[in-house]
Amino acid sequence: MRSEVLDLHELDEGQRALAGGKGAGLGALAGIDGVVVPPGFCVTTDAFRRVVGGSSLVAELLEGLGAVSPDDGDAVRTQSAAVRAAVEATVLPPDLSAAITAALAHLGDGTALAVRSSATAEDLPTASFAGQQDTYLNVVGADEVLLHVRRCWASLFTERAVTYRIRNGIDHRTVQMAVVVQQLVLPRASGVLFTADPITGNRKVAAVEATVGLGEALVSGRVDADSYRVRDGAIVERRTGHKQVATVALASGGTEEQAVAPGDQAVPALADAEVLHLAALGRRIEAALGRPQDIEWCLVDDGFRIVQSRPITTLFPAPAPAPASADDANHVYVSVGHQQMMTDPMKPLGLNLWQLKARPVMHEAAGRLFVDVTPMLAAPASRAAVLGALGTADPLVGDALQAIVDRDGFLPEPPPAPDAGPGGAPAGPPPGTAPDPIATDPAVVTALIQQAEASIAATEREIRGKAGPELLAFILEDIQELKRVLWDPVGHQALMSGMDAAGWLNEHLLEWLGEKGAVDTLSQSVANNVTSEMGLALLDVADAVRPHPEVIAFLEEGPGDDLLDRLPALDGGDAARGAIVGFLARYGMRCVGEIDLTRPRWNERPSTLVPLILGNVRAFEPGEGRRRFEQGRREAEAKAVEVLARLRALPDGDAKADEAAEMIARVRTFAGFREFPKYAIVCRSWVYKQALLAEADRLVAAGLLRDREDADFLSFAELQSVAAGTAVDGALVDQRKEAFATYQRLVPPRVLTSEGEAVRGTYRRTDVPEGALVGLAVSTGTVEGRARVVHDLGEAAVEPGDILVTAYTDPSWSPLFVAVAGLVTEVGGLMTHGAVIAREYGLPAVVGVEGATRLIRDGQRIRVHGTEGHVELID
């Protein structure tokens, strides 16, 4: 019984399982010097388990609730109401009622109280679950308190709470409820304080919202509150709301809303000195609890009362600076994932291996990688080039960085100029400048590809038979060989030559001919584009499947990843199997999010390709792959003839045409090579992965790992230690798995500062129709069609003429491009993979359309303006 009713001062953060999030949080607050928490006690989860957990009726109802789909609103509503009714009808044991009544006596007879739900799955560092359970204000008398304790227990099963738990995979039977009973504060003002700006994430800015009376009207959104921003002990922004209503306590119990006199509605609820004192109090609480806080407060005559504090769970963490630059100076980080078309979090091993392969230092935050561009922005010699290159590739990044540059005193004094840009590639000259002097010779690209393939083959030979520390040491050494191949000076010249020639053509053909994006047609069906060739190769697989109805029927049944073993038993299965195996031999190391080595490759899950193959079978005739390539080549050749003829008709036209012809030849020679370096990285990574999977199995057999997946949650250095004989720390792995799950709910910003601020750029455009969605034009043309909003490549159901709308596309999405008429993505730039392949296939495309998958409905008719960079919603 002693553990069923505890005073708040007997609780702390470590007793969440006993007191719930709110109770544990209030206990922790009560122990901070200078923080005043209204007195009260907690009816703990021990009481909940004894009363509610001991009810056979509730247990039976929860069993049924666990089988309900979150999308079945009627079932959620009906069954959750039945659970709530059963909980409210439970009878409290006499000893528990007596303990609660005794605790009430210490607060004083007739004291107005707040009775507040405190679930074990709320106010977590990773998820707040805020507002899902009930709070009752101005509860007076023991009988009313006992009734409202049961009501709080029942609120664990509101429709919203039940749906949230189902969607987040939380078993209803594992969540417990405590109840906090506190003396009700009757304040002249109340509100919330965020110790980090909840909009920008800036950890140095506190946000205050305040209203008169109790805070319920503010929390529920029924009042226009005062708002303040505080930084470094000063109010830097303020807005006084018109507070038309206030929530007040009634003498008879409960609360009601009362109108605020018109003359008082615009009077600030707090004086400036009170705002600053509150912000300082918030900093004290944040320091004690170790993370930014969302704090509920009340102001009475003698000072502030803190009635709740929970972690702010929506903030994206700032990257930790490298040890060499660990200082108090400001830093600016650019997202690597937005360049690599992989904004999902990466597991630690995959993330660490990508860091090891990268040339610039990459910093981790929430499972994503960022590059510190502060030195390049601070140095005048490199600033313009960086802003130009990044702004051309992604205007939202460029605009955000320019906003930071324009802030007085934010950037440090410039250091020596660096040699590499973000994402692992030297920044290079801005588009439109003269290309590097390299011969326009296809043999250059052929030699580079052969060199890389020979290096990968050597790695494949030399890694065989290696295990334990020897294997890990070999991979570390081989990564240096990978870097050598990737940073070969000739390879870099070839890469930049194609990109810069494209920039030159776009700039000069617009100037000379008034034509936008002519290079998009000129770059169709270029040689050596391994990613576009992959999409066409899957059309050839469809050709091998199409003649065999039994194979098609088998694939339509949704076979598992053993499909290659089962195909030979079917009529035509050998031919289909041979085509799929051939495709996998060339491209099976790819997958969605392929920069993360821990993600399953197509070689591991060939069933991922089945929807794409079947889509090609239904949509196209035999030989479509060859026809597509030839059509693109003919269109490019015709465009070159047209452009050069128009140039020759201009003053000094022969010189212009000769110069343009050389640039067209450079694009045709080198543009396809743009996709090869990443392909080479992924090929080599697949060699590493196969060896690391075998090593993980060896470590499991040796008892050093619990299971193969645990290896994914170790850094490379930690895996080396385990390979040398040190058993893995299972608790550490579990902690990282839990953290990874929370990272998946966070959206990474393009640009982030060391203050935690997500700096958002904007498209500064006035030339788009009203209501259109603005993005970056990356592939010319206009197309109207049905939008297919796709979140999972394995579930893509598109038909010819559809427009693909998705968050991002990496090379693994390219086989889907052959079946669509246009492309819209939320993430992307001029030279990201989706843009390159869209141009190669002649698909109008607009990328970087923020919120596209939310603002465009699946099935909605849209018009994509790939030349102008916007999307119209037709219906």
Side-chain angles (χ1 to χ4, degrees), residues 140-274:
V140 180
D143 289 343
E144 285 296 303
V145 169
L146 296 175
L147 169 63
H148 284 86
V149 165
R150 297 197 303 275
R151 287 180 175 174
C152 284
W153 286 345
S155 73
L156 191 61
F157 305 102
T158 61
E159 293 173 41
R160 179 185 172 193
V162 165
T163 301
Y164 190 96
R165 287 197 294 270
I166 295 173
R167 293 195 185 281
N168 286 274
I170 299 171
D171 190 332
H172 304 298
R173 293 166 296 189
T174 65
V175 181
Q176 309 291 321
M177 174 72 82
V179 179
V180 171
V181 180
Q182 275 183 290
Q183 185 182 87
L184 179 65
V185 177
L186 300 178
R188 64 176 175 86
S190 58
V192 294
L193 161 66
F194 295 93
T195 62
D197 191 315
I199 304 301
T200 68
N202 195 319
R203 295 344 188 243
K204 292 191 175 182
V205 174
V208 175
E209 291 192 348
T211 190
V212 292
L214 292 165
E216 295 309 295
L218 185 154
V219 174
S220 62
R222 297 191 299 275
V223 68
D224 181 21
D226 303 339
S227 63
Y228 304 86
R229 293 291 187 276
V230 178
R231 179 181 177 121
D232 298 330
I235 297 173
V236 295
E237 182 182 325
R238 75 175 73 235
R239 186 183 70 84
T240 303
H242 289 271
K243 300 169 282 297
Q244 296 178 330
V245 296
T247 302
V248 298
L250 299 175
S252 59
T255 62
E256 74 171 12
E257 285 186 2
Q258 294 182 357
V260 176
D264 295 333
Q265 290 178 5
V267 176
L270 295 177
D272 284 2
E274 291 169 334

Side-chain angles (χ1 to χ4, degrees), residues 234-544:
I235 297 173
V236 295
E237 182 182 325
R238 75 175 73 235
R239 186 183 70 84
T240 303
H242 289 271
K243 300 169 282 297
Q244 296 178 330
V245 296
T247 302
V248 298
L250 299 175
S252 59
T255 62
E256 74 171 12
E257 285 186 2
Q258 294 182 357
V260 176
D264 295 333
Q265 290 178 5
V267 176
L270 295 177
D272 284 2
E274 291 169 334
V275 172
L276 297 178
H277 177 66
L278 177 63
L281 189 60
R283 292 295 177 212
R284 180 179 298 179
I285 294 171
E286 178 185 66
L289 299 183
R291 58 180 66 90
Q293 296 289 305
D294 167 4
I295 299 167
E296 295 180 22
W297 55 269
C298 296
L299 178 63
V300 293
D301 292 337
D302 60 344
F304 287 99
R305 303 290 185 269
I306 305 302
V307 296
Q308 187 167 341
S309 186
R310 63 173 69 91
I312 306 176
T313 61
T314 56
L315 298 176
F316 196 90
S325 61
D327 50 43
D328 293 330
N330 293 324
H331 293 265
V332 183
Y333 301 95
V334 171
S335 166
V336 173
H338 283 79
Q339 300 168 62
Q340 291 294 336
M341 298 298 95
M342 167 57 175
T343 56
D344 294 343
M346 300 168 67
K347 293 177 183 175
L349 182 61
L351 185 147
N352 193 205
L353 276 167
W354 193 263
Q355 286 177 305
L356 292 171
K357 296 168 188 171
R359 187 175 181 182
V361 174
M362 291 186 177
H363 308 266
E364 185 271 340
R368 280 81 167 190
L369 291 170
F370 294 82
V371 170
D372 188 347
V373 297
T374 314
M376 290 173 280
L377 285 182
S382 57
R383 181 183 303 152
V386 170
L387 289 173
L390 293 178
T392 300
D394 187 337
L396 295 178
V397 172
D399 188 67
L401 293 178
Q402 183 63 60
I404 292 172
V405 169
D406 292 342
R407 295 179 182 176
D408 289 338
F410 187 86
L411 293 172
E413 289 298 315
D419 65 348
T433 60
D436 291 327
I438 184 174
T440 309
D441 184 357
V444 173
V445 175
T446 301
L448 289 168
I449 292 173
Q450 289 175 344
Q451 176 190 359
E453 290 177 339
S455 178
I456 294 166
T459 297
E460 198 166 14
R461 287 192 306 272
E462 294 168 14
I463 205 171
R464 288 176 192 152
K466 289 183 169 58
E470 182 188 15
L471 170 64
L472 279 297
F474 172 82
I475 291 175
L476 271 184
E477 184 178 347
D478 193 72
I479 286 173
Q480 303 311 309
E481 168 64 10
L482 167 62
K483 287 183 176 181
R484 187 193 66 77
V485 173
L486 286 177
W487 300 110
D488 178 88
V490 177
H492 178 63
Q493 282 185 307
L495 191 70
M496 296 306 300
S497 186
M499 294 168 64
D500 290 333
W504 188 97
L505 283 167
N506 273 332
E507 180 182 310
H508 287 79
L509 295 183
L510 178 62
E511 177 189 348
W512 292 338
L513 301 177
E515 184 167 351
K516 269 188 178 181
V519 76
D520 294 355
T521 303
L522 293 169
S523 60
Q524 289 181 183
S525 297
V526 296
N528 299 309
N529 188 322
V530 69
T531 306
S532 64
E533 290 168 359
M534 177 173 64
L536 302 179
L538 204 61
L539 287 170
D540 295 340
V541 173
D543 288 350

Side-chain angles (χ1 to χ4, degrees), residues 652-736:
D652 198 24
D654 286 342
K656 289 182 172 70
D658 289 345
E659 199 170 5
E662 169 60 21
M663 298 305 166
I664 291 171
R666 285 183 174 273
V667 167
R668 302 293 301 171
T669 300
F670 297 115
F673 186 67
R674 163 70 180 82
E675 292 293 297
F676 186 80
K678 185 174 183 180
Y679 172 76
I681 294 174
V682 173
C683 286
R684 205 181 205 102
S685 296
W686 173 237
V687 177
Y688 297 160
K689 180 169 189 179
Q690 293 174 89
L692 288 172
L693 287 174
E695 177 64 12
D697 289 340
R698 185 188 72 82
L699 295 173
V700 170
L704 298 172
L705 276 181
R706 294 176 303 184
D707 57 57
R708 174 191 273 193
E709 186 190 16
D710 280 4
D712 295 344
F713 290 90
L714 302 175
S715 70
F716 193 84
E718 289 167 342
L719 188 57
Q720 283 183 298
S721 178
V722 177
T726 302
V728 73
D729 181 351
L732 175 65
V733 170
D734 291 341
Q735 181 183 355
R736 288 179 180 173

Side-chain angles (χ1 to χ4, degrees), residues 618-799:
R618 299 185 192 107
F620 301 109
E621 296 297 322
E624 180 67 17
R626 291 186 296 278
R627 280 196 301 275
R628 283 286 182 99
F629 187 84
E630 285 304 312
Q631 178 183 344
R633 185 182 60 78
R634 287 194 300 271
E635 289 177 358
E637 290 176 350
K639 187 66 177 178
V641 170
E642 174 216 324
V643 164
L644 295 178
R646 290 166 62 194
L647 288 174
R648 293 191 189 282
L650 299 176
D652 198 24
D654 286 342
K656 289 182 172 70
D658 289 345
E659 199 170 5
E662 169 60 21
M663 298 305 166
I664 291 171
R666 285 183 174 273
V667 167
R668 302 293 301 171
T669 300
F670 297 115
F673 186 67
R674 163 70 180 82
E675 292 293 297
F676 186 80
K678 185 174 183 180
Y679 172 76
I681 294 174
V682 173
C683 286
R684 205 181 205 102
S685 296
W686 173 237
V687 177
Y688 297 160
K689 180 169 189 179
Q690 293 174 89
L692 288 172
L693 287 174
E695 177 64 12
D697 289 340
R698 185 188 72 82
L699 295 173
V700 170
L704 298 172
L705 276 181
R706 294 176 303 184
D707 57 57
R708 174 191 273 193
E709 186 190 16
D710 280 4
D712 295 344
F713 290 90
L714 302 175
S715 70
F716 193 84
E718 289 167 342
L719 188 57
Q720 283 183 298
S721 178
V722 177
T726 302
V728 73
D729 181 351
L732 175 65
V733 170
D734 291 341
Q735 181 183 355
R736 288 179 180 173
K737 288 181 179 180
E738 182 180 341
F740 181 76
T742 68
Y743 296 160
Q744 292 175 307
R745 296 194 288 268
L746 297 178
V747 178
R750 285 174 165 84
V751 176
L752 187 63
T753 73
S754 50
E755 294 182 345
E757 180 185 3
V759 185
R760 293 175 172 85
T762 60
Y763 293 106
R764 303 188 182 279
R765 301 272 300 279
T766 58
D767 59 338
V768 297
E770 184 177 355
L773 307 180
V774 181
L776 177 63
V778 296
S779 186
T780 55
T782 300
V783 64
E784 182 178 323
R786 179 180 64 168
R788 296 317 306 258
V789 180
V790 178
H791 299 283
D792 184 343
L793 178 62
E795 298 176 0
V798 299
E799 298 177 5

